[in-house]
Amino acid sequence: MITEHNHRIVYPVLSILFPCILGIAGMIRENVSSVIWIQNVAFILLATIVCLCVLKLRMKFNYKIIVFVSILLLGLTFIGPNIDGVHRWLRIPLFTLNIATIVIPITIVAFYRLIEEKQYVMSLIGTIVIAVFLFLQPDASQLLAFSLPMIVLLLKSKISKVITTSFSMVLLLLTLKSWIELDSLQPINYTEGILTMVYDTSIVLYIIGIASLLWVPICFLVLCQKQSRNICVGITLYYWMMICATFVGNFPVPFMGYGLSPILGFYIFLIWFINDFNSNY
């Protein structure tokens, strides 16, 4: 049952469900197996139920632990097999997870809060460690999506301008180098190539699909409270850069293309968002 402020889950869920449905339309037209296209919508429904249950617990987020766990999980991607030298995934029974798309949204939240708490050393070191891991994986899309909101955060913070400018330059240089030396992974039509599928189905659906993808993070800006606005701006930048990267390189299209990891990362952030709203209401 949706109680009190938990009705705020409805709009974000609808915002990712819409591009998911458009992606399914493209997959069906291209005769993609139903075993593939049913997974996203089924996972969204399951995650929504789990999210509602978790929200009843009024969880407290420990931002230092979030940063530590994120670094640990990203580090684990370098253990085990890779695909053409690319280390982005952690294989567990039944699933292969793209770790960055799961942990980066909530990690951006953690860094924003840690800097507010003046935990500058951990925030700066953690930011660089994660950026280096993304660079080494390599994952130009996630590095761009992570670096831009972090640069904005650092430059707006009360940390010394010399330090923030230096760290921002490191992030910028790592990002530029990653885009100059893109990996050679071939796209999967129902993951990286899903927008082409939707375009082939209907140019109208294609335009609506792009608009719906860009709208996903905006709903948080519309719903957020003043004290969380900077974080929601950062998350909006993260998803916008992730989406824009798909037009330049062979990167997964979140929510519309096949892939449970971006959906999981979205719901982790959604739980934080609603908890934060409830705790400050």
Side-chain angles (χ1 to χ4, degrees):
M1 181 178 180
I2 302 177
T3 60
E4 202 173 348
H5 307 297
N6 293 345
H7 68 276
R8 289 175 177 264
I9 195 175
V10 173
Y11 303 111
V13 169
L14 290 177
S15 74
I16 63 168
L17 195 57
F18 193 74
C20 174
I21 291 171
L22 292 178
I24 289 174
M27 292 185 207
I28 291 175
R29 183 185 181 278
E30 296 295 326
N31 298 314
V32 175
S33 170
S34 60
V35 174
I36 297 295
W37 60 254
I38 197 71
Q39 290 187 45
N40 275 18
V41 67
F43 189 70
I44 288 173
L45 296 176
L46 176 62
T48 301
I49 294 171
V50 173
C51 183
L52 288 170
C53 294
V54 171
L55 285 170
K56 294 179 181 179
L57 303 177
R58 298 292 181 113
M59 293 175 58
K60 297 292 183 181
F61 286 79
N62 186 309
Y63 299 114
K64 291 182 180 179
I65 291 178
I66 288 173
V67 172
F68 174 78
V69 171
S70 297
I71 291 174
L72 176 62
L73 291 176
L74 287 170
L76 288 175
T77 61
F78 294 96
I79 300 175
N82 62 80
I83 302 176
D84 294 335
V86 177
H87 303 262
R88 296 179 190 162
W89 304 275
L90 190 61
R91 291 171 175 81
I92 61 175
L94 302 179
F95 297 106
T96 298
L97 301 176
N98 185 326
I99 293 300
T101 59
I102 297 173
V103 303
I104 294 300
I106 193 63
T107 304
I108 291 173
V109 172
F111 283 134
Y112 270 62
R113 285 294 192 234
L114 287 172
I115 287 179
E116 286 179 358
E117 297 170 1
K118 299 183 179 180
Q119 300 287 333
Y120 298 144
V121 174
M122 182 176 187
S123 300
L124 291 170
I125 294 175
T127 297
I128 293 301
V129 170
I130 288 177
V132 169
F133 276 174
L134 294 175
F135 175 78
L136 294 176
Q137 281 188 339
D139 193 335
S141 170
Q142 287 300 306
L143 181 53
L144 171 64
F146 172 71
S147 294
L148 184 57
M150 290 308 302
I151 289 172
V152 172
L153 167 63
L154 290 173
L155 294 179
K156 290 179 65 176
S157 72
K158 296 180 180 179
I159 306 173
S160 163
K161 293 305 176 186
V162 174
I163 294 175
T164 56
T165 301
S166 300
F167 275 77
S168 296
M169 287 301 298
V170 172
L171 292 175
L172 182 60
L173 290 173
L174 287 173
T175 302
L176 288 175
K177 186 169 176 58
S178 71
W179 278 92
I180 292 171
E181 302 174 356
L182 285 176
D183 63 79
S184 58
L185 281 179
Q186 294 302 304
I188 298 173
N189 59 350
Y190 50 79
T191 303
E192 292 86 358
I194 188 63
L195 280 170
T196 302
M197 280 187 169
V198 175
Y199 179 86
D200 291 339
T201 302
S202 166
I203 190 171
V204 174
L205 291 182
Y206 175 76
I207 294 171
I208 294 173
I210 293 174
S212 68
L213 285 170
L214 294 175
W215 169 256
V216 170
I218 294 178
C219 68
F220 292 113
L221 286 174
V222 174
L223 296 172
C224 73
Q225 294 178 306
K226 184 178 180 180
Q227 61 266 31
S228 301
R229 187 164 186 80
N230 286 340
I231 290 176
C232 291
V233 169
I235 293 299
T236 299
L237 289 174
Y238 168 78
Y239 281 113
W240 278 0
M241 292 303 99
M242 187 177 174
I243 293 163
C244 289
T246 65
F247 293 97
V248 183
N250 296 325
F251 299 107
V253 181
F255 315 128
M256 183 181 288
Y258 169 74
L260 305 183
S261 299
I263 298 173
L264 180 55
F266 176 88
Y267 272 91
I268 292 173
F269 172 75
L270 180 58
I271 290 171
W272 173 86
F273 177 80
I274 297 176
N275 267 338
D276 182 72
F277 184 92
N278 289 343
S279 63
N280 289 290
Y281 185 76

